[in-house]
Amino acid sequence: LNLQDMALGIDAAGSDRWCHLLGESGTTEEGMLLGCCLEELNLRHSSLLTETAKDVLGNLAGNGRLRKLNLEWNGITRLAAGAIVQLLASDTAVLEVLILRDNPVAEGE
């Protein structure tokens, strides 16, 4: 799924909808469809920012098919580190490529 340069500007209100669409255990029909077959997700330069990235990453942790995730240029700080670790440490994780370049991951509290 390529959402590169879409400038989604997802805020907290829209985050839940995206999490349902992207998560393996989504409660919507769309979520079940995307979650069950999503192998690559390109969110490069999509204006996610840290809070929404944490929500999306946390929801993707249960996806046992996602192999490539591109999150570059999204303003993600170290506040999302726990969600990144959760995604990588998941029992179902098969992620082979995680692209985080051009994010201020060393910043934030």
Side-chain angles (χ1 to χ4, degrees):
L1 181 59
N2 186 1
L3 299 175
Q4 177 176 329
D5 296 319
M6 295 294 287
L8 300 173
I10 302 170
D11 58 12
S15 177
D16 287 343
R17 177 73 176 143
W18 275 97
C19 286
H20 286 300
L21 286 173
L22 298 175
E24 177 102 6
S25 59
T27 57
T28 64
E29 184 174 314
E30 296 94 344
M32 288 183 271
L33 291 173
L34 281 177
C36 73
C37 60
L38 189 64
E39 292 184 8
E40 290 189 21
L41 179 58
N42 184 358
L43 290 171
R44 181 186 186 275
H45 203 261
S46 296
S47 303
L48 290 181
L49 303 176
T50 295
E51 287 305 313
T52 302
K54 284 170 42 178
D55 292 341
V56 170
L57 287 166
N59 206 284
L60 287 172
N63 183 311
R65 290 177 178 75
L66 187 66
R67 297 192 182 288
K68 182 177 181 180
L69 179 59
N70 186 346
L71 294 172
E72 65 183 304
W73 285 98
N74 274 294
I76 298 170
T77 67
R78 69 178 170 194
L79 294 174
I84 294 169
V85 169
Q86 180 184 4
L87 175 67
L88 297 173
S90 169
D91 291 340
T92 59
V94 295
L95 194 65
E96 298 169 356
V97 178
L98 175 61
I99 304 169
L100 290 170
R101 80 175 140 246
D102 297 314
N103 282 290
V105 292
E107 299 173 11
E109 296 181 20

